[in-house]
Amino acid sequence: MNGGTFDPNQYKVLPEDTEPLEELEAKDGDILMYRAGGSLHYIGSVAMAHEPPARLIFSDKNYRVTPDASVMDRAFFAYGMAAKALRDQIVLSVSGAEGLANNIAQASVKEYLFAVPPISEQEKIGEFLSIALSKIENVAVRCEKSIEKLTEYRAALVTAAVTGKIKALLAEDAPTPAKKEAPAAFKRSVLATYIADTLCDHPTFGRVKFQKLLHLCEEHPEIQEVAGNYHRDAAGPFDTQMMRSVHSQITKPGWIVTSKRDGGKGTLYRRGENVDGYRDYFVRYFANRKVAIDDLLALLKAADTQQAEIVSTAFAARNDLLLEGKTPSDDEIVDLILNDWAESKKAISPDRWHSAVAWMREKGFTPRGLGEHTKLKS
């Protein structure tokens, strides 16, 4: 556990037939401090253990720090230990030569001065930092992947050039005109076709769920090409004009065929004769986001229409509050849904809304205050 990150691979897991001493086994929610050895950059760093495997024993170079739960939120404490005011105290308390025998005594840890606001404020600060750091981490991961791909491309390009597989551009050669960027609406239709192609065999997939998945693709994997203009509809965030456009654009080329369900209520989707025609476009526009899209579709594949509506609505409600500069509690999210959305939302119990918000948090399915604010339906 270096640099404020818990990595279970840095610790030893005992064999299944061995029971560890309880005081040495890492538990979910434990706050661990790196206390000895290495650079001053890492010593004193703190992280919270998340779902460590059974019988995982943390190193003797760590302390388990247990703040008083009546006055200190654990997540707030873990983040606070990385603040400059605490880092300065930690560095001053380290004994030993740089890089050789650095150590922090238990007595020193107990003497650190820590600003402690009310518990409710600590929880909001911890949640805000969690969201902000998640954004930064996502950007860092995308940058690392881009660097990796560009490095591979550079190596392949150099190899191809020196082996004569490509022709160098001569000065007199005219540059190739740049390809015209496809309109966002076309890219959206390609994404929509992928969703329909993936889920059309599932009995719960219909027009409303289709819209919910497009909305969530725009907000969660941050696929801006969806470009929805969502209103607070009875069925959750809805953009009627966008769905008309999507239906037109996926059916005209024969990618997807739509029909009415038995009884005339609802829409059925099935693959058209030319369904293969969209797939090259999907690879071109969304290959680097396919994993995130697939994860989202797998998460909601079995959800019925109302379940998809609940998730999309809860996601949009919290996102709206974040866009307003708030760090909302679960109660505030549910209050917005029940009192400032559509009257029909009150038919779903508050407990079910709370369960949905908790489920989304558990799955790491949380908004980050991106996109446009939903609008009240006129």
Side-chain angles (χ1 to χ4, degrees), residues 57-90:
I57 305 301
F58 62 82
S59 167
D60 61 356
K61 293 185 178 181
N62 294 139
Y63 287 139
R64 177 192 280 126
V65 185
T66 308
D68 184 347
S70 66
V71 296
M72 184 78 76
D73 176 72
R74 299 174 77 84
F76 174 79
F77 176 78
Y79 286 129
M81 290 296 288
K84 186 177 185 302
L86 269 297
R87 287 299 305 165
D88 288 346
Q89 295 179 64
I90 290 168

Side-chain angles (χ1 to χ4, degrees), residues 9 11 26 29 53 93 95 131 159 174 202 239 327 334 377:
N9 295 319
Y11 303 99
S93 69
S95 61
I131 293 169
T159 300
H202 292 270
D239 184 343
T327 304
V334 174
K377 194 170 183 182

Side-chain angles (χ1 to χ4, degrees), residues 4-154:
T5 301
F6 175 73
D7 181 0
N9 295 319
Q10 293 183 349
Y11 303 99
K12 297 177 181 179
V13 176
L14 294 179
E16 292 187 7
D17 59 352
T18 305
E19 286 299 322
L21 293 174
E22 185 174 353
E23 62 267 24
L24 298 180
E25 184 179 18
K27 303 285 189 359
D28 189 45
D30 275 352
I31 297 174
L32 305 179
M33 171 184 275
Y34 184 63
R35 69 161 186 87
S39 167
L40 280 176
H41 178 72
Y42 293 119
I43 193 167
S45 58
V46 171
M48 186 181 296
H50 291 290
E51 299 182 354
R55 298 179 303 283
L56 183 117
I57 305 301
F58 62 82
S59 167
D60 61 356
K61 293 185 178 181
N62 294 139
Y63 287 139
R64 177 192 280 126
V65 185
T66 308
D68 184 347
S70 66
V71 296
M72 184 78 76
D73 176 72
R74 299 174 77 84
F76 174 79
F77 176 78
Y79 286 129
M81 290 296 288
K84 186 177 185 302
L86 269 297
R87 287 299 305 165
D88 288 346
Q89 295 179 64
I90 290 168
V91 171
L92 289 173
S93 69
V94 173
S95 61
E98 165 66 20
L100 295 176
N102 289 332
N103 182 65
I104 300 175
Q106 289 188 32
S108 297
V109 177
K110 295 177 180 179
E111 295 299 321
Y112 295 152
L113 298 178
F114 203 115
V116 184
I119 284 284
S120 59
E121 187 174 341
Q122 293 179 40
E123 291 172 348
K124 290 182 178 179
I125 292 171
E127 188 171 4
F128 172 82
L129 287 172
S130 178
I131 293 169
L133 292 173
S134 175
K135 290 182 183 179
I136 295 171
E137 185 177 351
N138 287 339
V139 171
V141 169
R142 289 200 296 269
C143 288
E144 287 174 2
K145 288 181 178 178
S146 296
I147 291 169
E148 183 179 342
K149 289 180 179 178
L150 288 170
T151 301
E152 292 174 357
Y153 176 71
R154 179 183 182 278

Side-chain angles (χ1 to χ4, degrees), residues 126-358:
E127 188 171 4
F128 172 82
L129 287 172
S130 178
I131 293 169
L133 292 173
S134 175
K135 290 182 183 179
I136 295 171
E137 185 177 351
N138 287 339
V139 171
V141 169
R142 289 200 296 269
C143 288
E144 287 174 2
K145 288 181 178 178
S146 296
I147 291 169
E148 183 179 342
K149 289 180 179 178
L150 288 170
T151 301
E152 292 174 357
Y153 176 71
R154 179 183 182 278
L157 190 63
V158 171
T159 300
V162 300
T163 56
K165 292 181 179 178
I166 60 173
K167 179 182 177 182
L169 181 66
L170 300 177
E172 60 269 21
D173 289 342
T176 303
K179 289 185 178 180
K180 188 176 180 181
E181 180 70 14
F186 179 75
K187 293 182 180 180
R188 179 177 65 198
S189 70
V190 171
L191 172 64
T193 304
Y194 181 75
I195 295 173
D197 184 19
T198 304
L199 297 182
C200 65
D201 297 325
H202 292 270
T204 62
F205 184 68
R207 183 172 180 268
V208 172
K209 184 173 176 179
F210 197 179
Q211 165 76 97
K212 301 307 111 188
L213 290 170
L214 281 167
H215 164 247
L216 292 170
C217 277
E218 178 176 4
E219 298 295 340
H220 190 53
E222 300 176 23
I223 300 177
Q224 297 179 359
E225 292 89 343
V226 175
N229 181 28
Y230 303 104
H231 291 78
R232 293 182 179 179
D233 197 274
F238 213 93
D239 184 343
T240 303
Q241 184 176 351
M242 180 180 76
M243 287 307 293
R244 288 192 189 124
S245 173
V246 164
H247 274 194
S248 173
Q249 291 187 319
I250 67 177
T251 55
K252 279 184 179 178
W255 294 343
I256 296 293
V257 176
T258 63
S259 60
K260 291 293 183 182
R261 293 183 182 271
D262 293 341
K265 292 185 178 181
T267 303
L268 281 172
Y269 299 87
R270 68 179 189 276
R271 299 173 189 88
E273 292 183 359
N274 299 325
V275 68
D276 289 340
Y278 88 92
R279 290 180 176 138
D280 286 343
Y281 292 117
F282 182 81
V283 172
R284 184 185 307 172
Y285 303 138
F286 301 107
N288 63 334
R289 292 171 282 181
K290 182 178 183 300
V291 172
I293 296 168
D294 287 344
D295 287 347
L296 172 62
L297 299 186
L299 195 62
L300 294 174
K301 177 174 64 177
D304 61 27
T305 300
Q306 188 179 68
Q307 288 169 334
E309 171 197 332
I310 288 172
V311 172
S312 180
T313 302
F315 194 101
R318 177 167 180 170
N319 198 63
D320 282 351
L321 292 168
L322 291 173
L323 287 169
E324 293 169 10
K326 301 174 182 176
T327 304
S329 65
D330 291 2
D331 287 338
E332 289 172 311
I333 296 168
V334 174
D335 181 71
L336 184 153
I337 294 168
L338 295 178
N339 298 306
D340 200 15
W341 196 281
E343 190 67 23
S344 61
K345 296 301 181 193
K346 294 181 179 179
I348 301 171
S349 71
D351 286 346
R352 193 170 180 191
W353 288 113
H354 275 284
S355 295
V357 174

